[in-house]
Amino acid sequence: MENTFIAFDVETPNAANDRMSAIGATLIYNGEIVDRFYTLVNPETYFSPFNSELTGIYPEDVRDAPKFPKVWEMIENAMSRGVLVAHNAPFDMSVLAKCLKAYGIKWKEKVPYICTCTLSKRLFKELPNHRLNTMCDCLNIELEHHNAGSDADACARLLLCCMDKGAELEGALREYDMKEIKTLQKKTKR
């Protein structure tokens, strides 16, 4: 199993979920958090009142923020170094794939990822739900929910807690098809 994980989280400006208004990433190497990244992103599209209220990000906040291609230049190297990790990962993976596609940015066709929500369901069956805020409350992980930097950091810490609890990460590993914008089905053994 890889020894580098990139926990990341995105916030979106509207229900189309095809652009980012913020992204956070926390790099884990050999079981230690070694780097963090956070930025607002100018999504070049409209903001719905619901998303702005949820995330606290409004059009005026991102007016001078970098657009996605510039952000990608800043983070591509880190995002390419290991397994991506997110809480409810199919959502974050789809937003990333849609942004890359919208801007015509070529990257990997298939990307390995782990979903900490799925891991949490396996390891903490007794909890009523496995939302990020619930998991953070349970494990005393600091969280400013719907702040992409805080969510990414909390996801990284949750992954480390799951690893400490003996999570079998190989079985949790999935592959995301960035072109088709979907998780690939695991091959069954015959």
Side-chain angles (χ1 to χ4, degrees), residues 16-31:
N17 296 325
D18 60 356
R19 298 291 175 101
M20 297 176 192
S21 53
I23 185 169
T26 300
L27 182 66
I28 300 169
Y29 180 71
N30 285 337

Side-chain angles (χ1 to χ4, degrees), residues 146-157:
H146 299 297
N147 171 294
S150 180
D151 286 359
D153 200 61
C155 180
R157 292 179 188 285

Side-chain angles (χ1 to χ4, degrees), residues 89-126:
F91 171 79
D92 298 273
M93 295 298 297
S94 73
V95 174
L96 177 60
K98 290 173 187 176
C99 282
L100 290 166
K101 188 174 190 174
Y103 285 98
I105 299 170
K106 301 282 186 228
W107 191 42
K108 300 176 180 183
E109 286 185 26
K110 294 176 178 58
V111 179
Y113 79 90
I114 291 174
C115 179
T116 53
C117 186
T118 301
L119 266 182
S120 298
K121 288 176 184 177
R122 292 179 188 162
L123 294 169
F124 301 92
K125 294 177 182 170
E126 71 282 2

Side-chain angles (χ1 to χ4, degrees), residues 15-89:
N17 296 325
D18 60 356
R19 298 291 175 101
M20 297 176 192
S21 53
I23 185 169
T26 300
L27 182 66
I28 300 169
Y29 180 71
N30 285 337
E32 300 288 329
I33 292 175
V34 296
D35 202 5
R36 291 177 178 84
F37 175 84
Y38 170 78
T39 189
L40 292 173
V41 181
N42 183 336
E44 302 184 276
T45 191
Y46 73 97
F47 280 75
S48 74
F50 174 83
N51 285 55
S52 287
E53 187 67 32
L54 181 70
T55 66
I57 303 170
Y58 294 85
E60 58 271 18
D61 299 323
V62 301
R63 188 169 291 120
D64 296 324
K67 295 173 177 117
F68 180 76
K70 184 67 177 170
V71 171
W72 188 245
E73 282 178 29
M74 293 185 270
I75 65 172
E76 179 184 7
N77 185 47
M79 297 289 278
S80 299
R81 290 177 62 184
V83 175
L84 297 185
V85 180
H87 202 77
N88 191 20

